[in-house]
Amino acid sequence: MRDFPADRYVRAARAIADIVEAEWHQAHPGDTVIRRHVGTDPLPADAWADAVSGARAPEADRSGPQRVGVALAARLAGELAAADAVLLAVPLYNFGVSQHIKTWIDLVIAAPSDGREAGPLLAGKPTVLVAVRGGAYGAGTPREGWDHSTGYLRRILADVWGAELTVVEREFTLVGVNPALDQFTDLAAQMKDAAHAAAREAGRALTVAVAA
Ligand SMILES: Cc1cc2nc3c(=O)[nH]c(=O)nc-3n(C[C@H](O)[C@H](O)[C@H](O)COP(=O)(O)O)c2cc1C
């Protein structure tokens, strides 16, 4: 992936997530929002191995790093379990998820389930996944099938964790950033408008689902 000046990037995922969150705040003013910016404030990459091995060891025998890893995993899973709703904003990087989001997911899965009710972590919980991509990967496009992020995230959130999942997607965010994509300017603008409209709808649905 070519590098372009930082000020040309559009922060597309954040913009869409902000729309969803604004709808939420309108219906639930004053609610606490727990944020995890795993891209800019990454979780330690070595915590997962410590959490996995620590969870398998008797508590008294855990090393210092294993204790830290197990506690971090439990905290991350606890945040999800306690939330009324969940919102994720995830760009596509190198045709997959970033190491940061993968570390977060791996840690949550490694968390001991004690203290939580039986059943999937997000069973029935309204959850919005914002997925953005610089290129386009729809049916019939040259790179159809190259997005290895969105399907994986759906699998984890909906199938493994049981979330009531809504996915808001925006493609071609690199149009206007990468001159090679200039021919797609109109299509990209339509995609942006559609994604922002879908975000408003998803935000409203989230508030209705939680109020119900
Ligand atoms: C290092 C890097 C790798 C990327 N890899 C891909 C990719 O494989 N496919 C793609 O469609 N876009 C890719 N992109 C573009 C991003 O998905 C796109 O810029 C997206 O809008 C970033 O999210 P943001 O706007 O919320 O910051 C990449 C961007 C960067 C910086």
Side-chain angles (χ1 to χ4, degrees), residues 1 3 9-14 91-96 132-137 173-174:
M1 182 65 52
D3 266 341
Y9 286 97
V10 287
R11 303 281 173 260
R14 165 61 71 84
L92 182 66
Y93 289 125
N94 300 329
F95 311 107
V132 304
R133 304 181 273 277
Y137 298 82
T173 66
L174 285 178

Side-chain angles (χ1 to χ4, degrees), residues 10 15-16 169-171 187-198:
V10 287
I16 296 170
E169 298 177 78
R170 180 181 163 196
E171 297 199 305
L187 177 58
Q190 287 166 23
M191 288 174 158
K192 177 182 176 183
D193 289 347
H196 286 206

Side-chain angles (χ1 to χ4, degrees), residues 44-147:
D46 53 357
W48 176 65
D50 291 328
V52 170
S53 59
R56 285 163 171 69
E59 214 171 320
D61 295 345
R62 286 176 191 159
S63 68
Q66 284 176 329
R67 284 175 208 279
V68 172
V70 171
L72 177 59
R75 187 159 76 246
L76 298 175
E79 285 172 359
L80 288 176
D84 293 322
V86 176
L87 169 62
L88 291 94
V90 186
L92 182 66
Y93 289 125
N94 300 329
F95 311 107
V97 291
S98 71
Q99 58 173 311
H100 307 111
I101 192 91
K102 183 68 166 54
T103 297
W104 176 76
I105 289 170
D106 286 344
L107 278 165
V108 170
I109 291 176
S113 59
D114 40 279
R116 283 203 314 272
E117 289 173 24
L121 182 63
L122 297 181
K125 191 164 300 205
T127 299
V128 175
L129 166 65
V130 174
V132 304
R133 304 181 273 277
Y137 298 82
T141 61
R143 290 199 168 167
E144 177 182 359
W146 285 48
D147 169 9

